Amino acid sequence: MTVADLFVDLRSDTVTRPTAGMREAMANAEVGDDVYGEDPTVNALEAEVAALFGHEAALFAPSGSMANQIALQLLVSPGDELLCDADAHVVTYEIGAAAAYGGISSRTWPAVGADIDPEVVAGMIRPDGYFAVPTRAIAVEQTHNRGGGGVIPLATLRDLRGVADEAGVALHCDGARIWHAHVADGVPLIEYGRLFDTLSVCLSKGLGAPVGSLVVGSADKIERARTIRKRMGGGMRQAGVLAAAGRYALAQHIDRLADDHAKAARLAEAVAPFGVLATTVRTNLVALDLTKHTLDARALAAAARAEGVLISVLGPRTARLVTHLGVSDADIDRALAVLPRILANA
Ligand SMILES: Cc1ncc(COP(=O)(O)O)c(C=O)c1O
């Protein structure tokens, strides 16, 4: 028995397990030593993802965190500065990696999820000079994890590109869930791709692959990225087994994200009357704000768990529900029989 057999698991879209079709693709993958550049399945995946985003090259990495950190090291030299929001994954959940590995100084704008004001960002940029830390890059998150799966509008991204160009700084996208933004807003991936100097994109979240992310960028950047990845211990050998899962996910699991969004909308609709929705739900994440309730996030999670539903605790009074490949309509029915009842007494 696994967690997935016992519970409706709404903690994260990282808990998915490979489907039968994906496992078959993995089992049949052609492989070689990728550190020698000889794994045909990894090479095919990298070419495919680069083309999807209209960039010259891409590099397969073991995790989204490593893909982000490789990109940041490409864009920001030690002692120089990255700007991002206070809730960004890169400064919240990557355990200080930008500072620890890249010597990067990070400065944040207040957490506003996907509702970024490009003028606020423009006002934070510090130019070169001996007296201040020069800003070299801006990072945004599409969709925004702690921002409840919010989607940054294309117009905002275009304005941010203008801000970056004006200041001569780079723009990075933590696109762990960029697929969800593409499905929710109908913006072609290539349209997103052309706005950024680098992107990191994850195969192991909503797309359902067990492992893997890619850094996307120009050929010269990705060449340097290969060295940084190796330095960080991320050079993998017969990684084609994993890349095959990623290729399968790209072919089979992008369009179906609309189902996950619809399931998240059902959850949101059922909990909304209890005043707990932190943001409007656009994709597969439902952020809960319990500041006006007697029950805190831990207590809510414990009560839900006791009735077979797992949710994430993101802070003392913030919690999160996530839909994904492993959550069926029947699972949503089960969650809906539990969560509103608990919230009614919260
Ligand atoms: C927005 C975002 N970026 C990056 C990551 C990092 O991915 P990984 O867990 O593969 O390191 C995550 C993980 O949940 C994420 O939500």
Side-chain angles (χ1 to χ4, degrees):
M1 284 281 202
T2 66
V3 169
D5 300 317
L6 297 171
F7 294 96
V8 175
D9 196 345
L10 302 176
R11 288 173 300 169
S12 174
D13 47 14
T14 55
V15 301
T16 57
R17 295 176 299 170
T19 61
M22 185 178 280
R23 286 174 193 265
E24 196 181 328
M26 295 171 77
N28 294 328
E30 274 203 67
V31 296
D33 189 328
D34 182 50
V35 173
Y36 287 87
E38 290 172 4
D39 189 302
T41 312
V42 172
N43 292 341
L45 172 70
E46 290 176 345
E48 215 167 288
V49 171
L52 273 182
F53 290 94
H55 275 268
E56 286 172 341
L59 183 76
F60 192 43
S63 70
S65 300
M66 191 185 286
N68 272 332
Q69 294 302 325
I70 290 170
L72 297 184
Q73 288 180 50
L74 284 172
L75 304 177
V76 187
S77 298
D80 289 354
E81 180 179 84
L82 169 76
L83 296 182
C84 63
D85 82 278
D87 258 352
H89 195 280
V90 291
V91 291
T92 307
Y93 296 121
E94 299 185 11
I95 329 291
Y101 295 125
I104 294 169
S105 182
S106 300
R107 198 153 49 93
T108 58
W109 64 81
V112 286
D115 298 325
I116 304 168
D117 181 344
E119 281 189 23
V120 169
V121 179
M124 291 177 69
I125 295 174
R126 288 179 176 145
D128 261 329
Y130 67 92
F131 51 85
V133 183
T135 306
R136 300 293 183 209
I138 301 164
V140 298
E141 198 168 299
Q142 183 75 310
T143 62
H144 201 291
N145 182 348
R146 289 183 65 88
V151 183
I152 307 169
L154 188 58
T156 305
L157 294 177
R158 287 190 174 133
D159 287 350
L160 278 171
R161 180 72 260 174
V163 166
D165 286 344
E166 173 94 357
V169 306
L171 192 59
H172 170 69
C173 178
D174 174 351
R177 296 185 182 79
I178 199 164
W179 329 102
H180 299 77
H182 157 67
V183 167
D185 272 6
V187 174
L189 293 170
I190 204 160
E191 188 91 21
Y192 284 137
R194 67 165 62 106
L195 291 169
F196 296 100
D197 298 278
T198 53
L199 302 96
S200 66
V201 299
C202 288
L203 305 167
S204 59
K205 312 266 160 2
L207 293 194
V211 173
S213 293
L214 292 101
V215 189
V216 185
S218 63
D220 67 312
K221 280 197 181 62
I222 296 305
E223 199 48 48
R224 283 170 52 217
R226 209 169 281 285
T227 307
I228 298 171
R229 181 186 66 177
K230 190 72 176 71
R231 183 181 296 141
M232 293 177 81
M236 299 183 284
R237 301 295 177 173
Q238 284 69 33
V241 175
L242 301 173
R247 294 189 74 197
Y248 182 91
L250 289 171
Q252 305 292 331
H253 293 168
I254 293 184
D255 291 345
R256 64 153 303 287
L257 293 175
D259 297 343
D260 294 345
H261 297 180
K263 290 187 179 100
R266 276 189 70 202
L267 288 171
E269 201 186 337
V271 301
F274 304 99
V276 289
L277 276 189
T279 55
T280 307
V281 171
R282 295 287 328 281
T283 56
N284 67 325
L285 311 184
V286 182
L288 304 184
D289 173 356
L290 296 160
T291 43
K292 297 194 190 81
H293 298 73
T294 49
L295 209 63
D296 67 10
R298 267 178 198 280
L300 173 64
R305 186 187 174 93
E307 300 208 46
V309 178
L310 301 182
I311 70 171
S312 264
V313 175
L314 296 193
R317 299 220 157 249
T318 48
R320 191 186 65 180
L321 317 174
V322 186
T323 57
H324 52 79
L325 198 56
V327 175
S328 65
D329 284 317
D331 290 332
I332 298 291
D333 292 341
R334 206 172 140 197
L336 292 187
V338 169
L339 295 174
R341 189 158 34 78
I342 299 172
L343 289 169
N345 301 312

